[in-house]
Amino acid sequence: PGCWLATQPDRGSDVVDMDATEVKSNTVQSKGNLSARFDGDAYVISGQSAAWVSYAPLAQTAMAYLPCDYGDGFYKEGEQGMHHVGILIPLDLPGVSKGKPLDKHGQRPLPQGEVFFDEVRVPAKYAIAADDAAIPQMNATLTFANMEMSATFTGVARSAFDLALDYVHERKQGGTPIINHQSVQIRTFDLWQRVEAARALTHRVFNYNYGDYGPHLLASVTAKTYATRTSFEVASEALQLFGGNGLTKEYQIEKIMRDARASMIEDGENNILNLKGMRWLSRWYQDKQGVSV
């Protein structure tokens, strides 16, 4: 079993912005806490990952995307971005250690934790993509991760709707099951519409990415950010239908809402993904129209 080691302290969304299109003028990206340097027949890795690396506490290998010094420093001359490496790291190498699993708000069955590297030498043959090739490799990984997130959290949204649908037919207020109140009917139908919209978009993106014109990260980002936001909104509104009962662990909806909340941060925080998505759309428009703004 393995893990995807991309996030790290002091770097955050710069990981998603590997080509540095969202960096403030006259500044450079943060190098972060974890980096590599090329040393002949090996990459030497030092520092620590963030605590948000899914399955890290149990993983035997890690696929990492790291800033890398190939001999001329981390930063590209005259640019805001950095050199990178995509590398597969066996986690039983000397110098690797792990922290405790993170005590977190949601998705608790999925263990997450830090990985520490003390001058860990990884054979150069384990590199999947070096320097400029690391960016499209990272984007390819993110493309399928985001696509799968959209499917997963469309399912989470559907589970929240199903729980709400059961509850409004069972719970009585005003002398009748609350489904007989018009306001509850309207609110519950709105949940259904949101789930179906997320499902339709997710299906479209899967078909596109596996079709003749795909895959493309823009498609996956479009579905991921929409489906995860929808998942949280549906879960939150479903919990509202439960009233105070929804806040107790006796009902599953409180767990569903906590799990859905994390989805808007994992595998790319939604706002930075939306920024990257609009950047791609703008480039496409400018190329098509022959304009530059």
Side-chain angles (χ1 to χ4, degrees), residues 7-271:
T7 181
Q8 55 180 282
D10 305 322
R11 187 152 165 76
S13 291
D14 280 352
V15 172
V16 175
D17 187 33
M18 286 181 71
D19 56 358
T21 61
E22 307 305 325
V23 178
K24 182 177 172 60
S25 299
N26 301 316
T27 64
V28 295
Q29 288 183 327
S30 168
K31 181 171 71 67
N33 194 270
L34 180 62
S35 61
R37 73 175 188 274
F38 185 61
D39 184 24
D41 63 347
Y43 288 86
V44 181
I45 300 174
S46 299
Q48 72 175 80
S49 74
W52 303 104
V53 180
S54 296
Y55 206 69
L58 301 175
Q60 296 174 331
T61 59
M63 183 63 221
Y65 293 93
L66 306 172
C68 184
D69 181 358
Y70 289 92
D72 296 319
F74 290 98
Y75 293 94
K76 296 181 179 180
E77 185 176 357
E79 299 183 28
Q80 294 176 293
M82 289 182 291
H83 303 285
H84 291 88
V85 64
I87 189 166
L88 188 65
I89 308 172
L91 296 180
D92 58 354
L93 290 174
V96 177
S97 59
K98 298 179 181 180
K100 294 180 179 180
L102 186 66
D103 184 12
K104 55 185 181 172
H105 174 77
Q107 300 186 28
R108 292 173 181 166
L110 176 64
Q112 294 175 307
E114 300 163 312
V115 185
F116 300 90
F117 299 86
D118 183 10
E119 293 288 296
V120 176
R121 293 187 66 85
V122 182
K125 65 181 181 180
Y126 285 26
I128 303 299
D131 210 358
D132 289 342
I135 294 178
Q137 178 67 29
M138 168 69 176
N139 285 345
T141 303
L142 196 60
T143 295
F144 285 91
N146 271 210
M147 182 178 67
E148 290 160 6
M149 284 283 289
S150 70
T152 298
F153 285 92
T154 295
V156 171
R158 177 58 191 263
S159 70
F161 168 76
D162 286 346
L163 291 170
L165 188 63
D166 286 342
Y167 188 79
V168 298
H169 284 84
E170 297 168 359
R171 175 69 172 173
K172 292 183 179 180
Q173 288 284 278
T176 185
I178 61 175
I179 190 59
N180 292 323
H181 298 301
Q182 287 184 329
S183 65
V184 172
Q185 294 171 14
I186 292 170
R187 290 156 63 192
T188 307
F189 187 70
D190 180 66
L191 302 186
W192 165 257
Q193 286 180 311
R194 296 189 194 194
V195 171
E196 287 302 297
R199 188 202 304 275
L201 178 57
T202 296
H203 281 175
R204 171 171 166 75
V205 167
F206 266 79
N207 287 335
Y208 178 86
N209 279 340
Y210 284 103
D212 294 338
Y213 300 102
H216 197 288
L217 183 52
L218 173 61
S220 295
V221 163
T222 302
K224 186 270 186 185
T225 55
Y226 184 83
T228 55
R229 183 178 72 247
T230 297
S231 178
F232 177 69
E233 291 172 350
V234 168
S236 180
E237 289 302 314
L239 188 148
Q240 191 74 18
L241 288 167
F242 278 74
N245 284 338
L247 300 174
T248 70
K249 292 186 177 180
E250 181 181 353
Y251 293 87
Q252 291 178 318
I253 191 62
E254 67 88 26
K255 176 187 182 298
I256 293 295
M257 193 182 78
R258 287 189 289 104
D259 290 348
R261 183 62 185 86
S263 70
M264 295 187 289
I265 298 173
E266 66 183 312
D267 281 356
E269 191 272 337
N270 277 10
N271 289 297

